[in-house]
Amino acid sequence: MNNLNYAIQVDDLTVAYNYKPVLWDIDLHVPEGVLMAIVGPNGAGKSTLIKAILGILKPIAGSVTIYGEPYEKQRKKVAYVPQKGSVDWDFPTTALDVVMMGTYGQLGWIKRPGGKEKKASLEALEKVGMLAFKNRQISQLSGGQQQRVFLARALVQNAAIYFMDEPFQGVDATTEIAIINILKELRKAGKTVVVVHHDLQTVPEYFDWVTFLNVKKIATGPVKEIFNDDNLTKTYGINYKVAVNK
Amino acid sequence: MTITEYFNLIWTDYTLRTITLGTAVLGAICGMLGSFAVLRKQSLLGDAISHAALPGIAIAFLITGAKDTNTLLLGALVSGLLGTFWIRGIINKTHLKTDTALGLILSLFFGFGMLLLTFIQKQPNANQAGLDKYLFGQAATLVESDVRLMVIVTGIALFVLLLFWKEFKILLFDADYTKTLGFNTKFIDVLITFFIVLAIVLGLQTVGVVLMSAMLLAPAAAARQWTNKLSTMIFLAAIFGAFSGVFGTAISASQNNLSTGPVIVLVAAVFVAVSFVFSPGRGLLFRQIRFQQNRRDLELQKTLQFMYGIAKTHEDISHPHAIRILNNFHGFTKKTLQKLEEKQWIILSGSQWSLTEEGFQKAKNLYNQSSSND
């Protein structure tokens, strides 16, 4: 069933690295224009879910569609912010250069980025407040600045759906606020944003949609309706006391 | 023959010129492609591939019975590629880690190659002499056709590198992300690996299987110290590689034809050592100097701040105070006081000091400055 109202539709998705499944039979329908958190304990398969949707990992079973079509056909509508720790920041390159990589997908094979791509990259750097650091070697940036560079790289892809793997990991409060403001701006512009998130306290404040994941999908829906002790307990296995009614 | 004589002979002696050109081109392609290996953290892959090439050389000789370089190198290429695929297979299909897979294939192939080599040497065939040059390399055996092959392969590698520059760069930095953008990462990956194997095989005759990996890694490791730009790094690595090749060969030729491989590698190691110590950005020497400098600056600032604390209790900030009241603060020495006076932040007279207006302002803004610079 193709339902074009869903930005992301995941059906029966099962992923395993070795023998034990990391994700089991996931059904997930994400409507367009939500800012969604994926929460769950360590090893729940949060990053794996994103990677399987993006085609980085090959699932054992199941299907993924983006606006009703397979990911391969829709990849220009999708941007990805990997975990900051997944790359070597001592790589010999500058902040601007990393952001320019976000334009490579639109360019396709062989074609080099030109003035237009550079301009877009500089704008993205400005949006994340990193324009002053454009020529800085990336290892000379702080953790928060590196995260912003990654965010700028995704922004320059000018996508409809953004996947972010723990963008708040190890960043200071200033960067966290800067990032969440950009995410809210994206939502305002009608984009769909999916974020792997760890800090349960901030879920109601930052997000309007949430998915509870622990190998199986526990629940998914509006934060106001499903972000409650019951689902938290089911996901984390202990009675999680969170000030939901803040 | 001395080194100077050697280099004078290059202009007149055809053989020497061929050898020099060959080792320069070889060093350049190894430096270039070695940069990729280093940045992909596949430094040891080169070592495994070069060792894996040895049985190919022996088998090619056993089949053809001839010592034609191209045939032997073709054998090396096949067995080098086979080793590479086995390594990948082991990493992907089993729980073994990369280093285990590399070590396993390296020793297995090299052991088998050595076995074949000793077997060949026991044969009653006069032709077999000289196969052992592939262990440590002998640049003196390079002939024009070898060098032509090197130039052609280097030309193709350079063309491919320029053509797929963007794809290579992004794959090196962030492979998963590259995949999400729609690039066939497997293709780029195989392309890079193939050229690395090709460069290794080309170098076997000159440098030998045992030390070939150093030829890939040393120029790249040295080049990384001098720049934060990928293109500059690859360019520098090619230059360092070429110089190592030329000088290494010159030294070995002028010293009773020592094995070329070890000498080239030692020359490359000099580049590495110099780069590690003297490069301005990442070198140990300048890092230490900068560290000391920062420490001294901080000591100075700390002393000034302490003086500021005393001076501001007085209505007149330039009121003189005795030096001995600084004794409670352990950070100062006579030298720091002199330095502070040189900067005109304080005035010393006899056993007394007083802050200048400039010094007072400087001390007042110290903390604010250091926090806004963060």
Side-chain angles (χ1 to χ4, degrees):
Chain A
M1 184 188 76
N2 275 348
N3 189 335
L4 289 176
N5 290 329
Y6 290 120
I8 308 158
Q9 183 166 343
V10 176
D11 291 304
D12 312 321
L13 186 76
T14 299
V15 180
Y17 289 115
N18 296 314
Y19 310 105
K20 219 176 132 198
V22 183
L23 291 174
W24 183 255
D25 209 14
I26 305 286
D27 291 313
L28 184 63
H29 299 173
V30 184
E32 186 176 16
V34 297
L35 182 45
M36 181 176 93
I38 302 178
V39 298
N42 292 331
K46 304 184 293 292
S47 300
T48 308
L49 176 60
I50 286 190
K51 284 183 180 171
I53 293 174
L54 291 169
I56 298 170
L57 292 171
K58 216 174 150 216
I60 301 228
S63 70
V64 174
T65 56
I66 305 289
Y67 288 110
E69 292 200 64
Y71 175 72
E72 289 74 35
K73 285 196 179 162
Q74 300 281 44
R75 60 166 48 108
K76 286 186 180 166
K77 290 188 183 152
V78 176
Y80 174 46
V81 179
Q83 275 186 28
K84 188 158 61 64
S86 66
V87 301
D88 173 16
W89 288 94
D90 197 34
F91 191 81
T93 191
T94 59
L96 176 61
D97 233 21
V98 172
V99 178
M100 296 264 270
M101 289 177 186
T103 67
Y104 287 9
Q106 308 278 348
L107 286 168
W109 287 91
I110 295 169
K111 216 172 145 209
R112 301 286 180 88
K116 192 179 122 212
E117 285 75 22
K118 190 171 176 186
K119 194 167 155 262
S121 306
L122 288 171
E123 279 169 14
L125 270 174
E126 187 166 25
K127 221 177 261 175
V128 299
M130 286 290 294
L131 193 58
F133 299 90
K134 62 178 173 165
N135 292 323
R136 187 75 72 90
Q137 146 73 22
I138 51 172
S139 66
Q140 314 274 320
L141 299 171
S142 72
Q145 291 170 334
Q146 290 171 345
Q147 189 66 60
R148 289 186 203 202
V149 168
F150 257 15
L151 184 61
R153 183 176 72 169
L155 290 179
V156 92
Q157 285 182 258
N158 199 13
I161 306 176
Y162 289 80
F163 290 93
M164 307 194 182
D165 204 343
E166 300 198 23
F168 303 113
Q169 173 96 35
V171 304
D172 58 20
T174 328
T175 303
E176 179 157 341
I177 291 163
I179 293 175
I180 196 64
N181 284 338
I182 288 168
L183 300 195
K184 285 179 174 168
E185 245 173 64
L186 285 174
R187 178 179 53 190
K188 219 182 270 170
K191 319 269 187 182
T192 311
V193 185
V194 176
V195 179
V196 170
H197 194 58
H198 254 304
D199 183 10
L200 294 172
Q201 311 283 343
T202 52
V203 169
E205 190 187 333
Y206 290 172
F207 300 94
D208 55 12
W209 212 263
V210 66
T211 293
F212 289 94
L213 190 73
N214 192 353
V215 184
K216 293 177 187 174
K217 183 192 76 184
I218 312 293
T220 183
V223 170
K224 277 184 191 142
E225 289 168 24
I226 68 158
F227 194 72
N228 51 36
D229 275 348
D230 184 33
N231 280 325
L232 283 165
T233 309
K234 274 189 202 156
T235 308
Y236 289 87
I238 48 165
N239 197 346
Y240 220 102
K241 288 207 169 64
V242 179
V244 187
N245 304 319
K246 254 200 296 203
Chain B
M1 187 166 58
T2 67
I3 296 266
T4 345
E5 276 166 15
Y6 177 92
F7 280 111
N8 284 332
L9 273 178
I10 286 181
W11 310 110
T12 51
D13 188 290
Y14 174 76
T15 321
L16 271 192
R17 207 158 55 211
T18 309
I19 293 170
T20 307
L21 181 67
T23 47
V25 170
L26 176 72
I29 190 180
C30 284
M32 209 165 82
L33 293 169
S35 303
F36 289 119
V38 167
L39 290 174
R40 300 197 70 188
K41 314 215 172 354
Q42 288 184 336
S43 302
L44 282 175
L45 184 66
D47 209 19
I49 295 171
S50 66
H51 281 76
L54 189 61
I57 293 171
I59 291 172
F61 175 78
L62 281 174
I63 293 174
T64 62
K67 266 195 313 187
D68 170 49
T69 317
N70 289 347
T71 318
L72 295 187
L73 290 189
L74 194 66
L77 182 66
V78 171
S79 102
L81 285 174
L82 193 69
T84 315
F85 284 122
W86 279 16
I87 291 167
R88 283 166 174 271
I90 291 175
I91 296 167
N92 290 335
K93 301 260 150 52
T94 71
H95 290 283
L96 293 177
K97 297 280 178 289
T98 310
D99 56 338
T100 316
L102 288 174
L104 212 60
I105 292 299
L106 183 153
S107 32
L108 188 71
F109 274 64
F110 187 64
F112 184 51
M114 285 306 286
L115 189 82
L116 289 175
L117 224 53
T118 32
F119 171 72
I120 290 169
Q121 262 152 12
K122 294 242 156 61
Q123 299 263 307
N125 177 353
N127 210 2
Q128 86 252 14
L131 270 193
D132 52 344
K133 79 176 181 206
Y134 285 99
L135 283 179
F136 291 109
Q138 198 57 271
T141 59
L142 282 178
V143 293
E144 200 192 319
S145 61
D146 302 334
V147 176
R148 197 180 302 138
L149 184 68
M150 283 180 186
V151 172
I152 291 171
V153 172
T154 307
I156 296 173
L158 199 62
F159 175 73
V160 170
L161 176 73
L162 290 175
L163 193 65
F164 294 110
W165 175 255
K166 168 175 118 253
E167 288 76 14
F168 284 168
K169 182 167 157 181
I170 190 171
L171 182 81
L172 288 178
F173 178 62
D174 195 344
D176 276 356
Y177 182 71
T178 312
K179 209 169 179 182
T180 67
L181 291 182
F183 291 102
N184 185 340
T185 48
K186 215 169 214 165
F187 171 73
I188 311 173
D189 190 31
V190 167
L191 204 61
I192 293 180
T193 312
F194 177 73
F195 274 101
I196 291 178
V197 175
L198 217 53
I200 289 171
V201 168
L202 278 184
L204 293 181
Q205 192 184 358
T206 315
V207 184
V209 298
V210 178
L211 292 171
M212 192 52 216
S213 66
M215 198 60 220
L216 283 173
L217 310 181
R224 179 68 188 91
Q225 292 295 109
W226 298 95
T227 177
N228 280 325
K229 209 167 163 226
L230 182 63
S231 49
T232 317
M233 176 184 166
I234 291 177
F235 179 72
L236 275 180
I239 300 280
F240 289 166
F243 271 100
S244 309
V246 170
F247 279 106
T249 313
I251 293 169
S252 89
S254 51
Q255 307 293 328
N256 259 339
N257 272 339
L258 293 171
S259 286
T260 339
V263 186
I264 290 181
V265 167
L266 285 178
V267 175
V270 172
F271 276 105
V272 174
V274 170
S275 304
F276 276 15
V277 177
F278 294 107
S279 76
R282 301 161 70 96
L284 295 174
L285 183 68
F286 288 95
R287 265 224 309 255
Q288 191 61 29
I289 290 174
R290 268 201 303 276
F291 176 72
Q292 298 284 3
Q293 186 76 45
N294 281 342
R295 235 193 126 82
R296 267 202 297 275
D297 283 354
L298 282 178
E299 269 170 20
L300 220 59
Q301 290 174 2
K302 213 47 214 163
T303 312
L304 186 68
Q305 201 189 29
F306 187 72
M307 291 170 147
Y308 169 80
I310 297 166
K312 77 173 177 188
T313 58
H314 232 273
E315 261 173 51
D316 175 18
I317 54 151
S318 297
H319 184 86
H321 299 271
I323 288 179
R324 67 185 150 75
I325 60 170
L326 294 175
N327 284 346
N328 292 332
F329 173 67
H330 298 288
F332 90 101
T333 58
K334 270 206 172 120
K335 223 172 148 188
T336 29
L337 291 183
Q338 275 164 12
K339 274 244 170 83
L340 285 169
E341 196 179 25
E342 267 169 40
K343 287 185 188 271
Q344 299 190 333
W345 288 343
I346 62 167
I347 296 165
L348 292 174
S349 66
S351 62
Q352 304 225 297
W353 60 269
S354 57
L355 273 184
T356 63
E357 179 62 32
E358 200 188 335
F360 186 80
Q361 289 306 329
K362 173 82 189 164
K364 194 175 164 188
N365 293 322
L366 259 183
Y367 188 69
N368 296 336
Q369 263 178 8
S370 62
S371 64
S372 65
N373 277 344
D374 194 23

